[in-house]
Amino acid sequence: MNAPASLPIAAPAETHALIAGASIAGAGARLPIFYPATGAQVGELIEDDAAQIDRAVAAARTAFKSGWAKLAVEKRQEILLKLHDVVLAHADELARLECLNTGIVMRELRERHMKRAAYNFRFFAEYIAHAKGEVYDQTPGYRSVVVREPVGVAALIAPWNAPTALASMKIAACLAFGNTCVLKPSEQTPLALRRFVELLHAAGLPEGVVNLVNGRGATTGAALVAHPGVDLVSFTGGTQTGRAIAAEAGRRLKPVTMELGGKSANIVFASADLDRALDAALVGIYSNNGQQCLAGSRILLERNIADAFIARFVARARGIRIGDPTDDRTELGPLASAAHRDRVLGFVDVAKADGAALLTGGKRADMPGALAGGYFVEPTAVRVGSSAARVCREEIFGPFASFLTFETYDEAISAANDSDFGLVAYVWSDHVPTVERATRDLAAGVVWVNTPMTRELRAPFGGYKDSGLGREGGEACERFYTEVKTVTVPSTPVAVRKLGLPTG
Ligand code: NDP
């Protein structure tokens, strides 16, 4: 375990909304912001009420009408590329703010999250240059073209586990297709996103195109979703919240995308490259401090390799370096909040009550010095008898792996699919027919074969069942962030039936 260090960066004393490019203090509650590695309060967020949401939505509407929606694609691309550059140029500062607010390890933030956040703008800048349309000319004398137009003002709601990486995808896609937005970060993690939106303005983003409001989901988030000036809602977060938001949006017929929870199966067949599968199983559950929707949290092992695989997994899990997230040697930082730590650890008793064996971890990690107040949990793993166990059914969202074993291919697939979730699935095997079959049989929005998580932005990403509604990705975002209009034009003047003329 590493020695404690100082804060990654100083936070502003107060975090305010950013509306039409200006910082505006709300009138709501003052909520503390903590550094999860020490438990110290590092700032305060001022919650935004309905009046503030009104202002933000109005600013987004004004920006939409006054030019952003009609901007030439080349000009929009130019701005998106500048946004890419400014995010990259400030990647270290953004990573430090994100670390301060989430406790995610700086190395992961620098190398994955912030690069991805910048790349999202370049990706969509390039995508819109190649967007195609449809033409129908089968009806003689007519040509119909299908055009796509921006929808309007989007509400973008982001979770706390990867705030900037996830919200930047929404912002980039929303803007690329000519929409404007109001973003609401999780009230736990506003710091990096607040600075992110400020930087977008510094790079030349017109005022009002991206606005940011702060506050709790039940107050600020709910008011934003219900606001009549919001035309569509893109949400990433938990399944229960997703249901509530989709219901509210449905009442008003607002389109939604829902990127929700997961309980993804990581199936390792005896025919796999077991060394690689072991490395990936560890990464799949313990990276991002174990807090990721696409974690391979149910590890399904073919019985004849299970004992040896688990023994090696446990030895490696015990060797994971827990500690100061600013130290590049650290492999596992703290959980995001004290309440979340307690919830994750609560699953140890839940597992035992279901007859599971605790293999490793299951308690707070003792840390030295200032880190003693942090929300650290030891990498945890349990072995369960069946996928009926609650730790196999509920999303724990922490460094907590549940092992299951199987005898046959059918058992493996049936256990993998025995879940209310269906976000992603991982398959490890070098036997091509097994891989082929599994990719067809698994009920998940994404199947990764012989690889840890590898996001392909061009392809749709999203979940089956309780893991979501709709998809994100190149074309999927184009569909979501645009309205479709069919324009039919005759090639020569048409003969129109003449109503209302005198007869005879
Ligand atoms: P929550 O569902 O608790 O919150 C997500 C966001 O929604 C937060 O900004 C929250 O605000 C806000 N919110 C809460 N209630 C409402 C409401 N009634 N109306 C509007 N907004 C609301 O999720 P977490 O932040 O706890 O994130 C973890 C979850 O996100 C996990 O289940 C995880 O699997 C999922 N996730 C899914 C991903 C995917 O791509 N499928 C990716 C990453 C995470 P506040 O926090 O301020 O209350």
Side-chain angles (χ1 to χ4, degrees), residues 222-376:
L224 180 59
V225 171
H227 195 289
V230 165
D231 300 305
L232 67 172
V233 180
S234 176
F235 172 76
T236 298
T239 297
Q240 290 318 320
T241 315
R243 277 191 219 288
I245 291 177
E248 178 60 32
R251 260 192 287 282
R252 294 159 195 263
L253 294 182
K254 296 179 185 180
V256 293
T257 51
M258 295 276 141
E259 297 288 346
L260 307 178
K263 190 77 212 180
S264 299
N266 181 3
I267 312 173
V268 184
F269 289 96
S271 50
D273 174 334
L274 295 176
D275 291 339
R276 217 187 296 276
L278 176 68
D279 292 341
L282 288 152
V283 168
I285 188 63
Y286 298 133
S287 56
N288 214 55
N289 298 348
Q291 301 165 146
Q292 45 190 350
C293 56
L294 31 70
S297 51
R298 288 185 296 146
I299 306 176
L300 276 50
L301 301 175
E302 195 162 343
R303 184 141 317 136
N304 57 350
I305 56 151
D307 290 345
F309 191 97
I310 288 174
R312 291 173 71 199
F313 182 98
V314 166
R316 292 272 295 277
R318 288 186 179 143
I320 284 177
R321 289 185 295 280
I322 310 170
D324 180 351
T326 63
D327 184 332
D328 280 355
R329 291 166 300 176
T330 295
E331 294 174 316
L332 186 72
L335 295 191
S337 68
H340 187 53
R341 173 202 57 202
D342 296 343
R343 180 181 173 275
V344 168
L345 286 176
F347 276 97
V348 175
D349 286 338
V350 168
K352 287 180 181 164
D354 280 341
L358 178 66
L359 301 167
T360 190
K363 55 183 186 351
R364 289 181 183 201
D366 286 330
M367 305 304 297
L371 299 183
Y375 317 135
F376 294 90

Side-chain angles (χ1 to χ4, degrees), residues 16-335:
H16 299 162
L18 209 153
I19 298 174
S23 185
I24 305 183
R30 304 176 79 89
L31 306 170
I33 300 172
F34 298 101
Y35 179 36
T38 61
Q41 183 176 336
V42 293
E44 262 185 341
L45 166 151
I46 313 296
E47 188 161 59
D48 292 313
D49 58 7
Q52 188 89 312
I53 306 288
D54 250 353
R55 262 179 232 125
V57 174
R61 179 66 58 195
T62 303
F64 181 77
K65 284 192 183 153
S66 67
W68 185 254
K70 299 265 187 276
L71 211 59
V73 165
E74 274 186 13
K75 187 67 193 158
R76 223 183 287 149
Q77 278 186 296
E78 206 178 284
I79 296 177
L80 290 170
L81 291 171
K82 280 193 192 145
L83 304 188
H84 162 268
D85 293 347
V86 78
V87 174
L88 264 195
H90 290 80
D92 185 68
E93 179 193 355
L94 290 168
R96 285 178 184 283
L97 283 165
E98 197 88 300
C99 177
L100 180 67
N101 213 174
T102 62
I104 300 169
V105 175
M106 274 290 292
R107 185 178 23 77
E108 289 189 36
L109 289 168
R110 264 197 327 262
E111 291 171 13
R112 290 199 304 125
H113 295 228
M114 297 310 157
K115 282 190 181 156
R116 186 42 214 292
Y119 179 68
N120 284 332
F121 288 96
R122 202 175 89 203
F123 173 80
F124 282 105
E126 288 165 2
Y127 183 93
I128 56 176
H130 301 288
K132 294 191 289 274
E134 299 164 47
V135 178
Y136 298 97
D137 57 6
Q138 290 91 335
T139 302
Y142 286 91
R143 177 167 292 158
S144 293
V145 296
V146 180
V147 292
R148 291 194 167 267
E149 297 180 343
V151 183
V153 175
L156 309 180
I157 302 182
W160 48 258
N161 66 312
T164 307
L166 294 171
S168 58
M169 168 89 174
K170 296 184 189 299
I171 299 172
C174 170
L175 267 48
F177 299 110
N179 304 276
T180 59
C181 64
V182 179
L183 169 70
K184 193 203 85 68
S186 165
E187 107 262 356
Q188 285 180 51
T189 57
L191 292 180
L193 275 175
R194 177 60 173 71
R195 176 70 178 135
F196 185 86
V197 176
E198 198 173 87
L199 287 169
L200 302 186
H201 287 91
L205 186 72
E207 286 169 10
V209 173
V210 177
N211 306 277
L212 179 143
V213 292
N214 288 305
R216 287 165 292 188
T219 48
T220 314
L224 180 59
V225 171
H227 195 289
V230 165
D231 300 305
L232 67 172
V233 180
S234 176
F235 172 76
T236 298
T239 297
Q240 290 318 320
T241 315
R243 277 191 219 288
I245 291 177
E248 178 60 32
R251 260 192 287 282
R252 294 159 195 263
L253 294 182
K254 296 179 185 180
V256 293
T257 51
M258 295 276 141
E259 297 288 346
L260 307 178
K263 190 77 212 180
S264 299
N266 181 3
I267 312 173
V268 184
F269 289 96
S271 50
D273 174 334
L274 295 176
D275 291 339
R276 217 187 296 276
L278 176 68
D279 292 341
L282 288 152
V283 168
I285 188 63
Y286 298 133
S287 56
N288 214 55
N289 298 348
Q291 301 165 146
Q292 45 190 350
C293 56
L294 31 70
S297 51
R298 288 185 296 146
I299 306 176
L300 276 50
L301 301 175
E302 195 162 343
R303 184 141 317 136
N304 57 350
I305 56 151
D307 290 345
F309 191 97
I310 288 174
R312 291 173 71 199
F313 182 98
V314 166
R316 292 272 295 277
R318 288 186 179 143
I320 284 177
R321 289 185 295 280
I322 310 170
D324 180 351
T326 63
D327 184 332
D328 280 355
R329 291 166 300 176
T330 295
E331 294 174 316
L332 186 72
L335 295 191

